[in-house]
Amino acid sequence: MSDPGADTVLVVDFGAQYAQLIARRVREAHVRSEIVSRDITAEEVRRRRPVGIVLSGGPASVYADDAYRIDPAILDLGVPVLGICYGHQLLADLAGGVVENTGTAEYGKTPLEVTGDSVLFSDLPRQQEVWMSHRDLVAEAPPGFEVVASSPGAPVAAMENRQRGLFGVQFHPEVAHTPRGNEILRNFLYDVCGARPTWTSHSIIESQVEKIRAQVGDARVICGLSGGVDSAVAAALVHEAVGDQLTCIFVDHGLLRADEAEQVEETFRGHFDVDLIHVKAADRFLEKLAGVTDPEQKRKIIGETFIRVFEETAREVGDARFLVQGTLYPDVIESGSGTAATIKTHHNVGGLPEDMELELVEPLRDLFKDEVRVIGEELGLPPEIVWRQPFPGPGLAVRIIGEVTRERLDVLRAADKIVVEEIRRAGLYRDIWQAFAVLPAVRTVGVQGDGRTYAYPIVVRAVTSEDAMTADWARLPYEVLEAMSSRIINEVPQVNRVAYDISSKPPATIEWE
Ligand code: XMP
């Protein structure tokens, strides 16, 4: 995925979440970043010709027997290196300094004092607050390094060897809790690495359009639309590149949210004038799902049926040779971390049927979700699609516990619409990662007027998250919860009770199934 046009910074991964955040901050400074495994060799680094390297933080200790290392020759390539937290300690260790575990950990907001003449802190206050999270510390900087900042628990909170272009900071400049962190990173990127701010949505679109054209030539391309932002932006990019060589296929499995299908149709037909095949396949999906209650079984049925429908429709397009997928960067990072256990079988809408012999076009492979959104806006997609909260491929089927029936879908769809409307009304839609309704497989007793009711409860789920790997339940204001509850109970006759899910991920997951 190297892109000769843009200056690139390599972020060496010692802990996936740390590395991803750093990579995003670098890109926010309009410099292209690429996350690489800690096993990368100096030779490979040289081949990629980065303007700088950042060694990320991570959970390990440089002492541990199996401590993560890097090829030490990387430090001698003449490419500037910035070590952050674990990366700072590793840099100190490799360059001949002393790293110790003194038993005094620092965690949280910490005052930092800039004590030396420094490039990283140039034009920044001598006293500032930074976010620390460490047990080990650099007790002695390596020879040739100047200590430029310290904190109460870290005598070498920042060090620089300008001659060799090696820099280290014990704190985390990439997190929002370090208020001047972005400026520190920018000082490294612009003043030390001499990076040019060439990573902009305009340049990304330009280079992707060029790549897509080079890949597909004058062949036909198909794209599965899901209603979500990723497939929509991927389709819009490909449309920008090859116009009416693109046919979009939108399989409506009957498990979508209220008004979703209409919006997709309206956007792509009305706005972009894309050749769109809208397959209304709700009956087929619901027939297959009849009587099925096991979550994995549901996912498998939906995934398989989707592929069959998609394949059949794709055949109508006849001579298509390429299939567009909205794969994002976090899915393809060559991470240094171990493999995660399969928690749920994820079904990607537009998933590739193995025997279709279509070549993949993946124009979002280099991008994080926030970048995808910005590009979507620049390409003219409406905000309802660009800012839409993520929605699982199997749709409402994994939010209906137990059997999926038309009646239960209608109840859930009506309640879900209210949840989303109230979140929007409160101005929270973009701050909340996902907010939705869940329909459990129980009924509850209530009283309405003078009569007893025996009806469905609805569970409201709203979470905040950076990347869906972890999530916290959203502290919604009581008034918002109250509005949801009374509207759902008043407007959806089959519901007599509303509960709010206050579990985080882990140990829960975002979806209920
Ligand atoms: P969980 O429930 O595992 O969900 O915490 C994490 C994120 O993934 C979404 N999700 C899916 N997305 N196909 C998808 O495209 C799926 O099968 C699927 N299952 C869950 C979920 O909505 C959340 O954003």
Side-chain angles (χ1 to χ4, degrees):
M1 60 177 246
S2 64
D3 183 345
D7 287 349
T8 298
V9 166
L10 298 183
V11 179
V12 183
D13 180 1
F14 291 108
Q17 276 166 10
Y18 302 85
Q20 287 200 27
L21 196 53
I22 295 167
R24 283 171 50 190
R25 294 290 173 261
V26 171
R27 291 178 181 203
E28 281 163 19
H30 303 298
V31 178
R32 184 168 178 283
S33 62
E34 210 178 302
I35 295 175
V36 295
S37 154
R38 56 186 182 262
D39 300 326
I40 194 166
T41 60
E43 197 38 51
E44 175 63 13
V45 172
R46 195 203 310 271
R47 199 185 61 73
R48 298 198 192 197
R49 292 196 286 149
V51 295
I53 298 169
V54 180
L55 309 177
S56 86
S61 161
V62 289
Y63 292 129
D65 291 338
D66 52 354
Y68 304 149
R69 314 291 291 183
I70 49 162
D71 180 351
I74 289 174
L75 304 187
D76 298 318
L77 291 172
V79 179
V81 175
L82 171 64
I84 293 178
C85 196
Y86 179 82
H88 167 69
Q89 294 163 8
L90 179 63
L91 180 62
D93 193 57
L94 288 173
V98 179
V99 179
E100 278 179 1
N101 184 329
T102 57
T104 52
E106 267 181 316
Y107 184 79
K109 288 187 180 166
T110 308
L112 179 90
E113 181 166 7
V114 179
T115 50
D117 170 32
S118 154
V119 191
L120 289 184
F121 297 96
S122 69
D123 297 329
L124 291 173
R126 309 286 289 177
Q127 318 269 348
Q128 54 180 289
E129 206 167 64
V130 297
W131 183 262
M132 289 281 193
S133 173
H134 64 105
R135 267 167 295 139
D136 297 349
L137 55 77
V138 176
E140 259 175 56
F145 279 71
E146 190 189 340
V147 178
V148 294
S150 61
S151 71
V156 186
M159 61 182 191
E160 302 185 353
N161 182 332
R162 290 199 219 173
Q163 208 180 351
R164 292 181 67 194
L166 304 178
F167 298 76
V169 293
Q170 180 57 67
F171 60 91
H172 288 274
E174 75 277 19
V175 304
H177 300 300
T178 298
R180 311 303 291 256
N182 281 338
E183 290 155 274
I184 296 167
L185 281 178
R186 280 165 202 244
N187 283 344
F188 175 70
L189 296 171
Y190 300 143
D191 299 344
V192 176
C193 304
R196 292 163 303 160
T198 43
W199 185 255
T200 60
S201 46
H202 183 73
S203 73
I204 297 169
I205 292 172
E206 236 176 31
S207 77
Q208 283 308 328
V209 162
E210 221 169 275
K211 266 193 212 166
I212 296 166
R213 284 186 186 143
Q215 187 186 359
V216 310
D218 53 13
R220 285 214 71 74
V221 187
I222 52 175
C223 176
L225 287 177
S226 68
V229 57
D230 303 340
S231 63
V233 175
L237 257 175
V238 174
H239 187 251
E240 175 87 12
V242 298
D244 59 12
Q245 283 164 245
L246 172 70
T247 299
C248 287
I249 301 176
F250 176 46
V251 178
D252 180 351
H253 50 21
L255 308 165
L256 296 168
R257 291 168 288 190
D259 310 326
E260 203 155 20
E262 294 75 13
Q263 257 178 27
V264 170
E265 175 129 27
E266 145 77 18
T267 300
F268 282 90
R269 263 199 228 291
H271 213 66
F272 282 97
D273 195 20
V274 168
D275 180 21
L276 173 68
I277 305 178
H278 181 167
V279 192
K280 295 184 179 157
D283 290 344
R284 185 159 166 185
F285 279 85
L286 291 183
E287 241 163 63
K288 292 247 187 251
L289 286 169
V292 179
T293 55
D294 177 69
E296 279 297 292
Q297 190 69 15
K298 282 187 198 171
R299 283 174 176 273
K300 287 207 177 96
I301 290 172
I302 297 166
E304 264 174 44
T305 312
F306 185 89
I307 286 175
R308 294 285 88 83
V309 175
F310 192 81
E311 259 180 328
E312 288 162 21
T313 317
R315 257 180 241 127
E316 290 170 23
V317 187
D319 53 348
R321 276 193 37 223
F322 294 91
L323 175 68
V324 181
Q325 286 224 313
T327 316
L328 299 191
Y329 191 41
D331 305 328
V332 296
I333 290 168
E334 342 153 11
S335 172
S337 329
T339 44
T342 304
I343 312 286
K344 296 176 188 179
T345 316
H346 271 219
H347 151 60
N348 277 320
V349 168
L352 177 69
E354 269 173 22
D355 48 359
M356 262 178 75
E357 293 182 350
L358 287 168
E359 192 181 316
L360 286 185
V361 180
E362 297 181 304
L364 312 179
R365 261 183 91 83
D366 292 358
L367 306 178
F368 289 109
K369 190 124 191 153
D370 34 3
E371 295 173 315
V372 169
R373 290 199 155 118
V374 174
I375 283 175
E377 279 193 321
E378 181 136 345
L379 287 169
L381 284 169
E384 305 85 75
I385 289 196
V386 169
W387 292 99
R388 173 162 296 173
Q389 293 178 352
F391 187 61
L396 299 181
V398 294
R399 295 178 180 173
I400 291 181
I401 315 309
E403 191 183 1
V404 181
T405 61
R406 271 182 202 284
E407 187 230 347
R408 302 187 77 206
L409 275 167
D410 287 342
V411 171
L412 181 60
R413 214 174 264 130
D416 186 72
K417 187 170 182 209
I418 294 171
V419 170
V420 175
E421 279 172 5
E422 291 305 322
I423 289 283
R424 281 190 199 277
R425 196 197 305 275
L428 294 171
Y429 189 79
R430 289 194 192 180
D431 298 331
I432 299 281
W433 177 265
Q434 275 171 294
F436 54 87
V438 176
L439 182 62
V442 291
R443 283 199 281 168
T444 88
V445 173
V447 56
Q448 249 160 344
D450 290 335
R452 173 188 189 270
T453 58
Y454 188 51
Y456 292 122
I458 281 286
V459 177
V460 174
R461 178 89 167 127
V463 297
T464 53
S465 176
E466 281 265 334
D467 52 11
M469 299 289 291
T470 60
D472 199 5
W473 60 278
R475 272 50 172 183
L476 294 182
Y478 282 165
E479 310 80 72
V480 177
L481 289 170
E482 145 104 57
M484 287 176 184
S485 163
S486 65
R487 278 195 61 199
I488 291 172
I489 290 171
N490 283 317
E491 296 173 33
V492 190
Q494 301 92 330
V495 176
N496 67 354
R497 189 181 295 271
V498 172
Y500 187 49
D501 181 347
I502 52 168
S503 357
S504 294
K505 173 184 181 176
T509 52
I510 296 177
E511 303 292 346
W512 267 44
E513 285 193 340

